[in-house]
Amino acid sequence: MSDAIHERVQAALDKVRPYLQGDGGDVELVEITADGVVRVRLTGACKGCPMSQQTLKGGVERMVLKEVAEVKRVEAV
């Protein structure tokens, strides 16, 4: 994926990051695949949290899909 898409994905993650950090967690961009899959790593309190899948889909993925039309989905690694 292009640098512009990478920057837009990072900007979308930056928008959701304060909510994660408020609960002691964070999100880290790992990669963006050629077919539009964003891979992220949840860290801090988010890592291993029973609600992490809901956080990923309801917060992180929703924001990234809203901000970057080229992205198809977001996965945790």
Side-chain angles (χ1 to χ4, degrees):
M1 288 277 172
S2 74
D3 286 343
I5 292 173
H6 187 275
E7 288 175 18
R8 289 170 42 219
V9 168
Q10 194 63 56
L13 294 177
D14 288 345
K15 287 183 178 183
V16 75
R17 185 169 276 121
Y19 301 103
L20 299 174
Q21 290 174 340
D23 289 330
D26 208 341
V27 63
E28 170 186 314
L29 178 60
V30 175
E31 73 173 322
I32 305 171
T33 68
D35 58 343
V37 177
V38 171
R39 293 196 172 115
V40 298
R41 181 175 296 115
L42 295 173
T43 62
C46 292
K47 182 180 179 182
C49 170
M51 299 297 290
S52 65
Q53 193 61 31
Q54 184 176 355
T55 298
L56 178 70
K57 293 295 177 188
V60 177
E61 183 176 64
R62 191 176 80 219
M63 181 62 74
V64 171
L65 293 177
K66 176 183 168 195
E67 299 287 322
V68 188
E70 296 86 349
V71 171
K72 306 291 186 270
R73 71 179 183 278
V74 176
E75 299 176 347
V77 295

